[in-house]
Amino acid sequence: MPSMDGKVVRTFSRRNRFCAASEAFEKMLVDEKSKDPSAKVAVQSHRWSQIKYTINRVQKEKIEKEKKVSSPERKKRKFFSNPSPGAEKNKCDDKPKKEPKFFRRKRPEDSPAIVDEPAKSTPPPPTAPVVTSSQEDEISFLSQESTQSSPSVIFSSQEASSKPRHIFRSPRKERARYKPKLWNMQADDQQDSGEGAAKSSSVAVKSEKAKLYTVVRNVKEAFECHEIGTQHDFSADVEYLIGGLSPSRSIKLRCLSVIKLVEKCSEGEFRMHLRAQEHILKEIFNSLADADRNETMALCVAALFSMLSRDRLQIEFEEGVLAVLVRLVQLEMSSDADTKIMEQIEALCPCPEGGTLTAQDLALDGLLSLTSRRATEKLKASMCELKAIDCLVDRVSTCIIAIQKTPSSSAAPSTVPLLDRCIRSLETLTSMHTDNQKYVIQLQQRTILDSLNKFIHCCRSRLIANNMDSTIMSALLQALSLLIVLTSESEDCCTYLGRRDQFIECLLDFGLKHCDRVAENKKTDFVVFSLAILVNLIEKSIFCCKELFEFEFENETSLEALGKFYLKHQDLAKESECHLDLPLQSDSQTSSQAEEFNESISKALHHAGRNMEHSMMAAYAALLMGAMLVKHKDALVELSHIVPNGDCGPMVELLKNFMETLKLANAITDVGCKSMQNVISLFESV
């Protein structure tokens, strides 16, 4: 056999026993001198099976030895087996199930077989029988026959190292391995493990030196986790409470759910979440659309509206939600709600000013809070369509009737704060909105104009009696502000008010006569609002202009009275201007000098404020005189006798500065600018 020429095959004791048994079997089977061909065939088949077993065993031992060598040596030595079908068949022949009992092999670690040179670490194997020359001839003969019958090819040890193991198979790729980086290693450890790292694919570090830690990706910040948790709690609470608001639930369960929601809304953070998610509010009030059918339910929902409207940054309700609120305001029911529910609501919501703890008053409180601070164009239109303005006008009329019935010498009734809030809401809803102004003026045959006229006369009588309460004064200023809005665009409104009994006379008394009876902090607003209404009446209505021009005020014409008022406040403004000079501040000052300097600054600021107030009152008086003279130019001669030396220059300068101030504050329209410019041109021509 070519692969075993000149070499000795050494095996362990089991191999020796196998060879001895084979020789005995051959001698028993046929004699060497026998010429029987059948016996010779049996001997040849037995020897061929022996050769196949030995060759397969040697190949497996070489493969096992290949696995034990290091990776650099493995790359140098490559063993390839014949991929022929015969070789595959031979590999399958050595399975334990098909081999005879005495052919069964132990595991590689029990009885390893070594070809060519044994490893130095293994003990020397026992002596094996030597193959004779006759046996070599037979083996070579059988191998030649096997090449003809079987396609398997056996290589020598030198040929096996130079030829591939699998002819039609690509070389095995090295498996990818994970190489961990230990960043917490010290410099000494890295130097010690440098040589070992070059030989192996991973770095070996002792467990005592390697600090174990877990790396988690996409970790959220603490505030993000807090926000997520807060949002989750809010969603869970709202979902639970909405489940109890369904119309299919009982009235008691729905009322308890609404009260629990009111309790939650007492927290500003919860209201902020509701404001941010408008669809939740829509879902809540859609479930409470039938609240006006039950007194207890109406009371709970009105308390919810009152609680939601507490913030200065209001919630923008949709029209469907506002419809529920307006129906509760229009509700007329007796306070026959459940006593326990009343106690719980009283603990959560205080009683509104000028009202009682009823569904109507609580809903009105929510409506006033919603519309008294700021109102968008959409809200103004919705309030008009839903008849909310009608409710406010009715409540104003009711409150004024109660004040009118109270004597001027007695204290103000408790409905005055509510009147103040209702008038403020009407002013907000009608300001810069012409459609709402027309609607309010024409509503119920000008009910609001008659009511405000009555309220102004009541306040005049209280001023004469020197019994003007601060709450009534606040409501009066709000009423005058509403009249400025209503008379700014409507000629019909101005004419109607001018025809009311003593309306113009009452306004002149407020601006020129009774202003000294008002508190100092309210005096400027009181005078300016009164004169501004008169300016609107004269500009829009010819009837009012004629009435005011012919009106005699304390045995003198209205033009002379206004001229004296103008000169008085112009002198006061100049006097205040003289105190505006400040001493220079040096770098080195004592504590007493610093206190004196700070005191002088505060005094200068006070005088500057007084100068502004007197200048504004003088400007409105000059504007009112100019508005009358535009339509009565024949009275310009009378004006030249009123002003000193007939010089209208200071008046022109004052009006120009006043117009520039109004433009900067965006408090005047284009129509107002045009009217003021006409007055300035008239005074310049004098």
Side-chain angles (χ1 to χ4, degrees):
M1 188 172 179
S3 63
M4 297 184 183
D5 291 342
K7 293 190 178 183
V8 179
V9 180
R10 293 168 292 184
T11 60
F12 291 103
S13 59
R14 189 180 181 107
R15 179 82 53 85
N16 296 338
R17 289 196 298 269
F18 170 72
C19 294
S22 298
E23 291 177 1
F25 178 74
E26 291 175 7
K27 290 179 181 180
M28 289 173 62
L29 189 64
V30 65
D31 192 9
E32 291 182 0
K33 297 178 180 180
S34 177
K35 303 297 184 180
D36 189 1
S38 61
K40 189 174 181 179
V41 171
V43 172
Q44 290 177 356
S45 62
H46 176 68
R47 286 183 178 180
W48 175 240
S49 63
Q50 181 182 359
I51 291 169
K52 287 195 299 181
Y53 173 78
T54 306
I55 291 172
N56 291 335
R57 182 70 180 181
V58 170
Q59 289 180 349
K60 289 184 178 181
E61 288 176 354
K62 288 183 179 181
I63 292 173
E64 292 174 358
K65 187 177 180 180
E66 176 71 17
K67 293 180 180 179
K68 293 181 180 180
V69 296
S70 61
S71 57
E73 295 177 359
R74 187 176 182 181
K75 293 179 181 179
K76 295 179 181 179
R77 300 177 58 185
K78 298 181 180 180
F79 299 95
F80 300 89
S81 62
N82 191 2
S84 61
E88 296 294 332
K89 183 178 181 182
N90 294 339
K91 291 181 181 180
C92 298
D93 291 339
D94 58 344
K95 292 184 179 180
K97 295 181 180 180
K98 296 181 180 180
E99 290 178 355
K101 185 175 183 181
F102 56 86
F103 283 155
R104 292 179 184 174
R105 298 161 292 149
K106 293 185 179 180
R107 290 178 295 179
E109 58 268 25
D110 296 335
S111 58
I114 302 173
V115 182
D116 296 338
E117 296 180 2
K120 294 181 181 181
S121 61
T122 58
T127 307
V130 181
V131 181
T132 62
S133 61
S134 62
Q135 291 177 350
E136 288 179 356
D137 295 336
E138 290 178 358
I139 290 172
S140 63
F141 173 74
L142 291 173
S143 64
Q144 292 175 3
E145 291 180 353
S146 65
T147 56
Q148 299 175 2
S149 61
S150 177
S152 61
V153 180
I154 309 299
F155 299 105
S156 63
S157 60
Q158 296 178 356
E159 293 173 348
S161 62
S162 62
K163 294 184 179 182
R165 199 188 320 175
H166 299 286
I167 298 174
F168 300 101
R169 185 180 298 178
S170 61
R172 180 181 297 177
K173 294 183 180 180
E174 191 171 328
R175 185 179 180 184
R177 296 182 180 179
Y178 173 70
K179 298 179 181 181
K181 294 182 180 181
L182 303 178
W183 301 104
N184 56 351
M185 289 178 60
Q186 299 180 0
D188 298 338
D189 298 337
Q190 293 179 357
Q191 293 178 2
D192 296 341
S193 61
E195 298 178 358
K199 295 180 181 180
S200 60
S201 60
S202 61
V203 180
V205 183
K206 294 181 180 180
S207 61
E208 295 83 3
K209 295 183 179 181
K211 297 180 181 180
L212 302 179
Y213 58 90
T214 303
V215 179
V216 182
R217 297 181 182 273
N218 301 326
V219 180
K220 295 184 180 297
E221 297 291 340
F223 72 92
E224 294 178 339
C225 298
H226 181 266
E227 289 179 357
I228 293 172
T230 305
Q231 183 65 29
H232 182 270
D233 292 344
F234 167 76
S235 301
D237 292 341
V238 169
E239 184 178 358
Y240 171 74
L241 293 173
I242 288 177
L245 299 177
S246 176
S248 60
R249 305 286 185 178
S250 62
I251 294 296
K252 291 185 178 180
L253 179 59
R254 296 177 71 189
C255 290
L256 291 176
S257 298
V258 175
I259 290 174
K260 187 65 177 178
L261 188 59
V262 172
E263 184 178 354
K264 287 285 185 181
C265 290
S266 61
E267 303 174 359
E269 188 176 358
F270 192 86
R271 295 197 300 271
M272 180 187 67
H273 282 289
L274 283 178
R275 192 186 305 114
Q277 301 183 15
E278 297 180 359
H279 66 280
I280 295 179
L281 284 173
K282 183 178 180 180
E283 186 176 358
I284 289 173
F285 287 104
N286 285 341
S287 302
L288 301 174
D290 58 342
D292 54 332
R293 299 179 183 177
N294 184 272
E295 295 182 5
T296 306
M297 192 68 185
L299 180 63
C300 296
V301 177
L304 178 60
F305 273 112
S306 178
M307 188 65 69
L308 288 175
S309 59
R310 284 187 172 185
D311 297 331
R312 295 187 65 86
L313 184 62
Q314 292 111 351
I315 301 175
E316 295 184 2
F317 294 111
E318 294 186 357
E319 189 171 355
V321 181
L322 294 174
V324 178
L325 177 60
V326 173
R327 287 202 301 270
L328 292 176
V329 174
Q330 297 172 349
L331 191 63
E332 295 181 1
M333 288 185 178
S334 59
S335 56
D336 295 337
D338 191 355
T339 307
K340 294 183 179 180
I341 299 294
M342 288 279 292
E343 293 176 357
Q344 293 180 358
I345 292 177
E346 188 175 0
L348 293 173
C349 299
C351 184
E353 291 182 325
T356 57
L357 197 65
T358 58
Q360 187 179 15
D361 291 341
L362 286 174
L364 181 62
D365 180 69
L367 179 63
L368 295 176
S369 300
L370 185 65
T371 57
S372 60
R373 299 188 185 100
R374 181 181 60 88
T376 60
E377 295 296 323
K378 182 180 178 181
L379 180 61
K380 292 177 182 179
S382 299
M383 289 290 103
C384 185
E385 293 175 0
L386 297 172
K387 307 298 182 181
I389 294 179
D390 299 35
C391 300
L392 295 176
V393 170
D394 291 341
R395 187 55 63 98
V396 167
S397 300
T398 304
C399 294
I400 289 175
I401 290 173
I403 295 172
Q404 193 176 9
K405 292 180 179 179
T406 305
S408 58
S409 58
S410 61
S414 59
T415 57
V416 175
L418 180 60
L419 173 65
D420 187 5
R421 295 183 65 189
C422 292
I423 295 175
R424 183 179 287 110
S425 295
L426 283 174
E427 181 193 359
T428 305
L429 294 175
T430 55
S431 178
M432 307 298 291
H433 201 283
T434 309
D435 295 337
N436 285 1
Q437 292 175 12
K438 294 179 180 179
Y439 181 80
V440 171
I441 292 170
Q442 300 296 332
L443 184 64
Q444 299 176 5
Q445 297 179 357
R446 301 181 177 87
T447 302
I448 187 66
L449 300 180
D450 293 334
S451 299
L452 293 176
N453 182 33
K454 293 176 182 178
F455 180 62
I456 288 173
H457 282 82
C458 291
C459 293
R460 180 188 179 188
S461 61
R462 284 183 174 272
L463 280 173
I464 295 173
N466 201 10
N467 189 23
M468 178 62 74
D469 192 5
S470 60
T471 56
I472 296 181
M473 188 66 201
S474 177
L476 176 60
L477 291 176
Q478 204 63 52
L480 294 175
S481 179
L482 177 59
L483 285 174
I484 291 173
V485 174
L486 296 178
T487 57
S488 60
E489 300 292 339
S490 176
E491 180 182 355
D492 186 21
C493 177
C494 294
T495 304
Y496 184 83
L497 288 173
R499 294 181 182 277
R500 297 301 95 191
D501 187 23
Q502 297 183 352
F503 181 76
I504 295 177
E505 180 183 356
C506 187
L507 291 177
L508 278 176
D509 286 344
F510 283 167
L512 305 180
K513 185 176 181 181
H514 300 307
C515 57
D516 295 333
R517 300 183 181 185
V518 182
E520 195 68 27
N521 58 343
K522 304 286 186 181
K523 181 177 180 180
T524 304
D525 294 339
F526 185 62
V527 173
V528 167
F529 288 173
S530 301
L531 297 180
I533 296 172
L534 290 174
V535 170
N536 290 341
L537 294 177
I538 293 172
E539 287 182 350
K540 299 296 186 300
S541 175
I542 299 176
F543 174 80
C544 294
C545 181
K546 182 179 179 181
E547 286 290 326
L548 182 60
F549 186 77
E550 296 176 355
F551 182 76
E552 292 186 0
F553 183 78
E554 294 182 353
N555 299 325
E556 58 183 1
T557 62
S558 58
L559 190 62
E560 294 175 351
L562 289 172
K564 291 181 180 180
F565 184 83
Y566 161 74
L567 294 174
K568 173 185 175 182
H569 287 281
Q570 187 183 26
D571 294 339
L572 291 174
K574 290 180 179 180
E575 183 180 352
S576 300
E577 190 176 359
C578 297
H579 297 84
L580 296 179
D581 296 334
L582 293 175
L584 297 177
Q585 184 182 10
S586 60
D587 297 335
S588 59
Q589 284 185 342
T590 61
S591 59
S592 60
Q593 292 176 349
E595 291 179 359
E596 291 178 359
F597 182 75
N598 294 334
E599 185 177 356
S600 62
I601 289 177
S602 61
K603 287 182 179 179
L605 291 175
H606 174 71
H607 287 298
R610 297 296 299 171
N611 175 265
M612 177 64 71
E613 292 175 356
H614 291 301
S615 298
M616 189 176 296
M617 288 187 282
Y620 268 102
L623 186 61
L624 182 57
M625 288 190 296
M628 285 192 297
L629 292 174
V630 167
K631 297 180 180 180
H632 298 83
K633 294 183 179 181
D634 53 348
L636 288 173
V637 179
E638 186 179 354
L639 178 63
S640 61
H641 297 293
I642 295 174
V643 295
N645 302 323
D647 185 13
C648 296
M651 192 179 299
V652 171
E653 184 180 359
L654 177 64
L655 289 176
K656 286 182 178 180
N657 294 334
F658 181 59
M659 186 172 64
E660 292 297 329
T661 304
L662 293 178
K663 287 181 179 179
L664 290 175
N666 197 18
I668 189 171
T669 61
D670 295 337
V671 178
C673 287
K674 187 176 180 180
S675 300
M676 288 189 67
Q677 191 61 45
N678 293 334
V679 173
I680 292 172
S681 301
L682 178 65
F683 287 152
E684 288 177 344
S685 63
V686 174

